[in-house]
């Protein structure tokens, strides 16, 4: 069953290529959505796809070589359809 999740990453996740890593990981898994930097230093991702694939996606984000993820929070979000996976720029 497809759903949309809002995932917030905190730690050293900005200016280390994390958004591109998130986009590539999500695209590889066939997930759609978007990722953006927040002004408080966190990164926010909206991800739509199969629940099991979203869980796998979250675990794979820890593999970003230059990021240091301290905390991840994920909550169900209103179902949203995206065309592909994009990086939102400031």
């Amino acid at each position: 069953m497809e759903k949309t999740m809002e995932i917030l990453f905190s730690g050293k996740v900005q200016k280390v290529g994390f958004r591109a890593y998130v986009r590539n990981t999500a695209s590889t898994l066939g997930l759609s959505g978007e990722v953006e930097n927040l002004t408080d230093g966190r990164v926010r991702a909206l991800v739509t796809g199969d629940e099991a694939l979203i869980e796998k996606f979250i675990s794979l984000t820890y593999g970003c070589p230059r990021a240091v993820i301290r905390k991840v929070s994920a909550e169900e979000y209103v179902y949203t359809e995206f065309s592909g996976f994009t990086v939102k720029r400031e």
Side-chain angles (χ1 to χ4, degrees):
M1 183 167 126
E2 288 211 337
K3 61 170 50 176
T4 301
M5 299 290 291
E6 178 184 46
I7 307 163
L8 297 171
F9 301 93
S10 54
K12 184 180 176 189
V13 291
Q14 290 191 9
K15 298 185 169 103
V16 293
F18 185 66
R19 289 179 301 168
Y21 186 87
V22 165
R23 181 194 61 222
N24 293 339
T25 302
S27 296
T28 299
L29 293 173
L31 300 170
S32 62
E34 62 187 28
V35 62
E36 66 183 327
N37 285 340
L38 299 178
T39 57
D40 64 5
R42 296 180 298 168
V43 168
R44 174 184 184 244
L46 292 177
V47 182
T48 298
D50 181 75
E51 187 173 3
L53 289 175
I54 293 173
E55 288 178 20
K56 182 173 184 172
F57 161 78
I58 293 171
S59 69
L60 289 172
T61 59
Y62 286 93
C64 182
R66 293 174 49 209
V68 179
I69 299 171
R70 299 263 183 243
K71 182 179 177 187
V72 176
S73 64
E75 292 186 13
E76 194 160 349
Y77 193 79
V78 62
Y79 181 79
T80 309
E81 289 188 24
F82 297 93
S83 59
F85 204 96
T86 59
V87 174
K88 289 179 73 176
R89 306 279 177 203
E90 291 87 348

